[in-house]
Amino acid sequence: MLIRIVRMTFQETKTADFLAIFEASKQKIRTFPGCLHLELLRDLNQPTVYVTYSQWETPEALEHYRRSALFKSTWAATKQLFANRATAFSVEKIDEVRD
């Protein structure tokens, strides 16, 4: 499994626009082949900073999504709202501590 984390900083007046884009696309992303999980998070101290956290079956599944028309159209609309360049990285879970 691959975990993808994308940190995005938006222009102050554009966060509502981003939330509308996310609302319109979240189910399509979540049901895209290979997507296992999708979350949207917001920084507590910087309300214009949002993070997507997604889990993918394989690196190839994520790449297939990134080459899709869904990603291209969603990302094109989203990046126009940025105040700064987004940061994205992929990680794998090594360990998990539970109760």
Side-chain angles (χ1 to χ4, degrees), residues 13-79:
T13 60
K14 300 296 183 179
T15 57
D17 295 338
F18 165 67
L19 292 173
I21 292 168
F22 187 80
E23 184 64 30
S25 61
K26 67 184 181 183
Q27 287 302 323
K28 295 172 191 169
I29 297 167
R30 174 57 191 90
T31 58
F32 197 88
C35 183
L36 303 171
H37 183 82
L38 176 63
E39 293 181 39
L40 178 63
L41 311 166
R42 186 174 68 191
D43 189 297
L44 285 173
N45 298 311
Q46 299 175 73
T48 60
V49 175
Y50 288 81
V51 175
T52 56
Y53 174 94
S54 57
Q55 296 176 355
W56 297 85
E57 288 177 355
T58 63
E60 294 80 19
L62 173 61
E63 273 308 303
H64 183 250
Y65 166 66
R66 294 185 72 225
R67 289 190 303 260
S68 73
L70 172 60
F71 174 80
K72 289 176 182 175
S73 64
T74 303
W75 191 247
T78 300
K79 70 181 181 179

Side-chain angles (χ1 to χ4, degrees), residues 1-16:
M1 180 180 63
L2 175 144
I3 298 168
R4 183 72 167 178
I5 300 168
V6 181
R7 183 181 189 274
M8 301 165 285
T9 304
F10 293 95
Q11 300 168 45
E12 275 188 49
T13 60
K14 300 296 183 179
T15 57

